[in-house]
């Protein structure tokens, strides 16, 4: 009986170590957009989102001028034919960002 308990404890320890290593790798792969976003301030850019947000009319990406940001939120201005639309989204929802260079 004690041998079985020792094996169970060893198994749990190994499982926890493997899970912690996975979590460590995922953390390293994540880009900190909070640090990256200031480079795009007042520039025309495209932001890809992690998942669709139909409530604010963003399915895959949004293009616009990065007008403002803080620790949690980003504000983009989109020029339309008749008016300017302002969209706000959380930084944690950003999957990628790139600057749009017009020639």
């Amino acid at each position: 009986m004690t041998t079985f308990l020792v094996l169970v404890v060893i198994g749990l320890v190994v499982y926890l170590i493997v899970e912690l290593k996975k979590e460590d790798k995922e953390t390293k792969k994540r880009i900190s957009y909070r640090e990256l976003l200031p480079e795009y301030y007042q520039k025309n850019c495209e932001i890809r989102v992690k998942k669709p947000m139909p409530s604010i009319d963003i399915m895959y990406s949004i293009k616009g001028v990065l007008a403002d940001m803080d620790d949690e939120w980003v504000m983009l201005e989109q020029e339309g034919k008749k008016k300017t639309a302002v969209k706000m989204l959380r930084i944690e929802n950003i999957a990628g960002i790139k600057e749009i260079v017009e020639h």
Side-chain angles (χ1 to χ4, degrees):
M1 182 72 171
T2 51
T3 308
F4 176 73
L5 288 176
V6 170
L7 291 175
V8 169
V9 170
I10 291 172
L12 285 174
V13 170
V14 169
Y15 173 77
L16 289 174
I17 291 171
V18 169
E19 287 298 314
L20 286 174
K21 285 186 179 182
K22 279 185 189 177
E23 192 175 295
D24 232 10
K25 287 180 183 178
E26 289 175 6
T27 306
K28 288 179 184 177
K29 287 181 183 179
R30 288 188 203 144
I31 297 172
S32 174
Y33 288 106
R34 283 180 181 83
E35 296 170 5
L36 189 63
L37 284 170
E39 296 176 24
Y40 295 95
Y41 183 68
Q42 293 296 322
K43 294 183 181 177
N44 198 17
C45 57
E46 178 180 12
I47 295 178
R48 287 184 298 114
V49 292
K50 292 180 181 177
K51 58 184 178 181
M53 294 184 277
S55 60
I56 57 172
D57 197 28
I58 301 174
M59 289 302 156
Y60 303 106
S61 66
I62 181 171
K63 294 179 183 178
V65 176
L66 185 60
D68 197 11
M69 73 194 93
D70 65 9
D71 290 340
E72 287 186 51
W73 296 90
V74 171
M75 184 170 76
L76 273 138
E77 292 180 351
Q78 288 182 302
E79 289 292 325
K81 293 179 182 176
K82 295 184 180 180
K83 62 181 180 177
T84 301
V86 176
K87 306 274 179 144
M88 290 187 68
L89 61 137
R90 287 188 176 272
I91 293 175
E92 65 189 31
N93 292 331
I94 296 175
I97 185 168
K98 66 178 180 180
E99 184 177 357
I100 299 173
V101 181
E102 297 178 12
H103 299 303

